[in-house]
C-alpha cells in the first residue's frame, strides 16, 4: 500500500528488505493504481516516489476487484476503500501473496472479513501481511 511505496521512497530498512526478499524469490511486485492515487500528492513530481513506481509493475483496478472490495467493506468499519481494493487485488491474484503495508490493523480486519466470506475464505489463507 502507500506505506510501502513511501517506505521505499524514503529508504526504510524494513521496506527495502521486503523488496529485496521479493526480488530474490522472483515474486511479481505490483502497485495497484489506487495506491498511486493515495501516494502521489501535489502538482510536482516526487523523484523518490517516481523511482519506486518505475521499479515495480503498476496495475489497474478491475470491476471484479471493486466488487470484492465492496463485499469486504460490508463487514468492517474503518479501512479505506483503497485498502479494501489492495486486499481484493491480493485475494484475486492467485497463489501466495504478501501485502506490504504500514497499516497492519486495517489489513488484518479486511483479511478476517475475507475469511468469513465463503467464496473468499481459501484465498484469504494465502495472504501474508508484512509491516514496514
Amino acid at each position: 500500500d502507500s506505506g510501502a511505496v513511501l517506505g521505499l521512497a524514503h529508504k526504510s530498512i524494513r521496506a527495502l528488505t521486503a523488496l529485496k526478499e521479493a526480488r530474490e524469490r522472483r515474486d511479481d511486485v505490483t502497485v495497484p493504481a489506487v495506491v498511486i492515487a493515495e501516494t502521489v500528492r501535489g502538482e510536482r513530481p516526487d523523484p523518490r516516489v517516481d523511482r519506486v513506481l518505475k521499479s515495480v509493475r503498476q496495475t489497474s483496478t478491475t470491476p471484479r476487484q471493486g466488487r470484492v472490495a465492496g463485499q469486504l467493506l460490508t463487514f468492517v468499519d474503518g479501512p479505506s476503500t483503497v485498502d479494501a481494493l489492495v486486499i481484493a487485488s491480493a485475494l484475486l491474484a492467485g497463489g501466495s501473496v504478501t501485502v506490504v503495508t504500514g497499516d497492519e490493523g486495517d489489513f488484518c480486519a479486511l483479511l478476517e472479513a475475507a475469511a468469513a466470506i465463503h467464496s473468499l475464505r481459501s484465498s484469504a489463507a494465502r495472504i501474508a501481511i508484512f509491516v514496514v
Side-chain angles (χ1 to χ4, degrees), residues 2-98:
S2 59
V5 173
L6 292 171
L8 290 168
H10 295 283
K11 301 189 185 291
S12 155
I13 296 298
R14 286 190 57 82
L16 290 169
T17 299
L19 181 62
K20 179 182 177 213
E21 289 173 1
R23 295 267 160 90
E24 287 172 355
R25 289 189 309 267
R26 296 183 179 207
D27 291 345
D28 186 19
V29 180
T30 63
V31 174
V34 296
V35 171
I36 297 169
E38 188 176 56
T39 306
V40 176
R41 293 289 181 262
E43 294 181 32
R44 299 174 62 186
D46 182 336
R48 296 172 295 184
V49 169
D50 291 343
R51 184 184 71 247
V52 171
L53 295 175
K54 286 178 186 173
S55 74
V56 298
R57 187 168 65 92
Q58 299 170 41
T59 60
S60 299
T61 301
T62 67
R64 177 75 180 122
Q65 291 166 342
R67 289 183 178 278
V68 170
Q71 277 185 291
L72 294 171
L73 290 171
T74 300
F75 294 96
V76 293
D77 216 12
S80 71
T81 301
V82 171
D83 292 349
L85 285 164
V86 169
I87 288 295
S89 298
L91 289 166
L92 298 172
S96 295
V97 176
T98 300

Side-chain angles (χ1 to χ4, degrees), residues 103-124:
D103 186 10
E104 181 179 25
D106 284 349
F107 283 90
C108 288
L110 288 162
L111 278 181
E112 286 177 26
I117 300 170
H118 184 269
S119 63
L120 300 176
R121 190 172 297 137
S122 63
S123 297

